Amino acid sequence: MKRGRAEGRTIKPRRNSERVASPAERAQITLTINGTRHTADVEVRKTLADFIREEAGLTGTHLGCEHGVCGACTIHLDGQAVRSCLMFAVQAQGAEITTVESLGTPERLHPLQEAFRDHHGLQCGFCTPGILMSTLAFLRESPHPSDEQIREVLSGNLCRCTGYQGIVAAVRDAARRMRGTA
Amino acid sequence: MKPAPFKYVAPESLDDAVALLRRHGQEGKILAGGQSLVPLLNMRLARPAVIIDLNRLRPLDYIKNGKDVRIGAMTRQRVAELSPLVRQKLPLLAEALRYVGHPQIRNRGTIGGSIAHADPSAELPAVLAALEGKVVLQNGRGTRTLGADAFFLTYLTTALQPDELLVEVRIPAHDHLGTAFLEVARRHGDYALVGVAAVVDWNGGRARDVRLTFTGVGGVPVRVAEAEAAATGRPLTDAVLAEVSRIVSAGLDPEADIHASAEYRKHVAGVLAERALRVAVTRAQRRERDTR
Ligand SMILES: Cc1cc2nc3c(=O)[nH]c(=O)nc-3n(C[C@H](O)[C@H](O)[C@H](O)COP(=O)(O)OP(=O)(O)OC[C@H]3O[C@@H](n4cnc5c(N)ncnc54)[C@H](O)[C@@H]3O)c2cc1C
Ligand code: FES
Ligand code: FES
């Protein structure tokens, strides 16, 4: 007897776990990013990170892991540092978002960016936007940080290039510079 | 990366939230801070049909004083951590919160979400168990209040029914006790390999009551009664602490995983128990001196 492909095995359609595909639900949202209002019709499953990059075109916010671990996507939501990959854009309805693009311009860097440049706080730069946004929120709350506090806050952002020494030095120096300008 | 499609609702009142949960039952999933759920959605390990987002539910965001401090489920972990009331009345919770992920996680993550998620290596379930706190659950028919041992069932599993919402966490004020939370993790902000919450009622040079609750060594927070008994009613000398440490290591039965072997976890638990008791007693003694 020839061995048929379906021998002894019928493939049943899965019942409970498989839902009938339905068109993705959408919602109209309005939010502010770096002072500019954005109104858009988005799929409710779109993350805030994807909204910032794809709809608003602000690609400074990077996506590394998309599950909260690497910190590359860190932005400010109503002034607080959060992971933009762990929120949906619909949840930011009415919110004020700031991203790394709000910091400085190539001609006039933010003191935090200057400190990173001067201390080699970046190499490839992939982690840098998230690190800048994390440390900016941190330095506003703790203008006189200890090295231990700096290391503690940086533990929420992964960098695969620098070995962190330059980053710690940059944050330490940025605290000094920002105290001077504030 | 995108989650599978879902329907999205964001109730603004508790009644609406409860009604939505009742309607969507098994197919609905509550979204609180999203710091555990959204990773599961992004990786499509969870594919709920309906997301019920509680972030517009202001009435569940509060911290109220009392013999039991009552914390609304949607209170952000970071808000609780920085709350003067929590720092004064619930020092063990304030201390443990600093080990929960990173500030960027705690800015979104909620007190109720961490307890409801019931990760076996999470800090807050151990705090709730150590202080014999309670959770309040609500559905369309009413509310019920459960202690930690009735609430945490096993790994990531609680007594919450599909139509139930965790609305409040109640933690007894413990500013009169000596407490300490310590943990060992691979990196700061990671889940604990092992963590311990120590609670000591110190009186006249002895511990009148001792509680040692561990996280990371089983499916639910684990208390080691034999070690607690060995520390109770005695001055906590080096010899007594060494004995407690031995009993803890021998009494636990943790699992091995890629992060640590079972042997290592047992050893660390014993060491942490001893250290945490020392810190808790020192704090209790300081309090005694200050109030005299
Ligand atoms: C990088 C990273 C590091 C982390 N490190 C730690 C750590 O060290 N220790 C630790 O404990 N946690 C850690 N977490 C998890 C974090 O604490 C989460 O905030 C927490 O586990 C879940 O709370 P949430 O409010 O974010 O809930 P969500 O993620 O929204 O929900 C989690 C689960 O609980 C359910 N749920 C939430 N609220 C309710 C409610 N009120 N009633 C009924 N069900 C509810 C949801 O349906 C879901 O199943 C980490 C997370 C990340 C991303
Ligand atoms: S992309 Fe958001 S934390 Fe990694
Ligand atoms: S500079 Fe390359 S990852 Fe940090």
Side-chain angles (χ1 to χ4, degrees):
Chain A
M1 197 179 87
K2 267 182 50 196
R3 291 181 152 258
R5 252 190 306 151
E7 185 194 26
R9 212 166 148 243
T10 37
I11 298 164
K12 287 205 200 97
R14 288 203 285 161
R15 286 264 163 69
N16 297 329
S17 57
E18 210 76 55
R19 287 182 286 112
V20 184
S22 56
E25 184 172 297
R26 305 182 72 88
Q28 168 106 358
I29 57 166
T30 300
L31 64 164
T32 307
I33 308 181
N34 303 334
T36 306
R37 267 164 67 97
H38 294 262
T39 298
D41 174 60
V42 294
E43 275 190 44
V44 294
R45 62 174 168 158
K46 193 175 201 81
T47 64
L48 179 58
D50 282 344
F51 182 86
I52 290 169
R53 291 176 54 85
E54 295 166 9
E55 307 281 331
L58 296 168
T59 52
T61 298
H62 291 170
L63 283 170
C65 67
E66 297 179 79
H67 62 267
V69 174
C70 75
C73 68
T74 305
I75 52 117
H76 292 187
L77 169 78
D78 296 324
Q80 289 188 311
V82 304
R83 306 289 205 230
S84 61
C85 70
L86 295 188
M87 275 185 72
F88 297 110
V90 283
Q91 296 186 283
Q93 161 63 32
E96 295 263 353
I97 309 285
T98 42
T99 67
V100 69
E101 284 89 348
S102 70
L103 289 186
T105 61
E107 299 75 40
R108 257 192 106 226
L109 294 177
H110 187 280
L112 185 57
Q113 291 169 313
E114 283 177 358
F116 270 72
R117 179 194 59 199
D118 295 349
H119 292 273
H120 300 286
L122 65 154
Q123 288 179 23
C124 79
F126 191 84
C127 67
T128 314
I131 292 195
L132 293 177
M133 297 313 280
S134 287
T135 49
L136 182 64
F138 165 69
L139 290 176
R140 282 183 184 150
E141 275 177 33
S142 315
H144 297 269
S146 65
D147 269 19
E148 203 189 326
Q149 287 174 307
I150 292 174
R151 286 171 190 278
E152 192 176 319
V153 74
L154 288 173
S155 72
N157 291 79
L158 298 181
C159 174
R160 299 292 79 164
C161 300
T162 62
Y164 299 100
Q165 302 300 330
I167 298 179
V168 173
V171 176
R172 197 189 295 131
D173 191 28
R176 196 182 52 75
R177 295 184 198 211
M178 286 169 63
R179 286 199 300 270
T181 60
Chain B
M1 190 155 52
K2 262 192 198 59
F6 51 74
K7 274 195 188 316
Y8 174 83
V9 282
E12 291 183 11
S13 77
L14 196 51
D15 285 349
D16 286 351
V18 167
L20 283 163
L21 260 184
R22 187 196 189 100
R23 180 155 356 122
H24 297 294
Q26 301 278 5
E27 289 279 86
K29 191 86 185 138
I30 291 169
L31 174 61
Q35 305 300 291
S36 294
L37 180 57
V38 179
L40 295 174
L41 295 173
N42 282 354
M43 293 188 272
R44 299 201 177 193
L45 293 170
R47 296 162 152 258
V50 183
I51 291 280
I52 303 169
D53 181 1
L54 302 188
N55 285 278
R56 308 250 159 212
L57 232 178
R58 306 316 305 163
L60 285 189
D61 181 4
Y62 59 83
I63 303 176
K64 288 184 190 152
N65 200 357
K67 207 160 137 286
D68 281 350
V69 176
R70 294 183 294 151
I71 305 181
M74 281 306 291
T75 306
R76 305 280 174 203
Q77 292 157 2
R78 183 86 172 143
V79 168
E81 173 193 351
L82 300 178
S83 147
L85 179 63
V86 170
R87 287 179 166 207
Q88 195 203 336
K89 295 291 174 100
L90 309 179
L92 184 63
L93 176 65
E95 189 175 21
L97 275 166
R98 301 211 32 209
Y99 290 99
V100 177
H102 315 281
Q104 303 93 317
I105 303 298
R106 302 196 291 275
N107 276 336
R108 290 294 293 169
T110 64
I111 298 287
S114 172
I115 304 269
H117 191 58
D119 190 286
S121 298
E123 291 80 8
L124 302 194
V127 169
L128 191 74
L131 296 165
E132 297 178 347
K134 295 190 168 66
V135 291
V136 182
L137 314 182
Q138 182 170 343
N139 66 9
R141 292 182 302 282
T143 64
R144 56 183 183 138
T145 305
L146 296 183
D149 25 332
F151 182 71
F152 297 114
L153 299 181
T154 178
Y155 295 89
L156 301 170
T157 307
T158 68
L160 268 169
Q161 296 301 308
D163 68 342
E164 265 179 327
L165 200 61
L166 193 166
V167 288
E168 185 174 277
V169 177
R170 294 186 180 161
I171 302 185
H174 50 274
D175 45 339
H176 58 296
L177 302 173
T179 59
F181 194 97
L182 290 179
E183 75 174 43
V184 168
R186 296 290 294 245
R187 287 166 299 252
H188 185 91
D190 281 13
Y191 279 102
L193 291 178
V194 181
V196 64
V199 180
V200 177
D201 185 357
W202 190 252
N203 189 272
R206 278 157 213 278
R208 196 155 50 182
D209 188 24
V210 175
R211 272 174 255 151
L212 282 172
T213 310
F214 296 86
T215 186
V217 296
V220 295
V222 178
R223 273 174 74 172
V224 184
E226 213 187 317
E228 294 177 347
T232 303
R234 302 164 75 181
L236 293 181
T237 59
D238 288 354
V240 171
L241 287 171
E243 186 188 329
V244 170
S245 175
R246 266 197 310 278
I247 297 174
V248 165
S249 292
L252 291 173
D253 186 20
E255 299 209 355
D257 60 22
I258 52 164
H259 305 295
S261 66
E263 269 314 301
Y264 180 73
R265 284 200 160 92
K266 285 159 82 86
H267 177 75
V268 169
V271 173
L272 285 180
E274 177 175 344
R275 285 189 197 158
L277 282 177
R278 279 186 206 279
V279 175
V281 169
T282 309
R283 288 177 180 167
Q285 286 169 336
R286 194 182 310 140
R287 189 152 298 131
E288 233 174 23
R289 262 203 318 277
D290 291 350
T291 51
R292 248 207 312 266

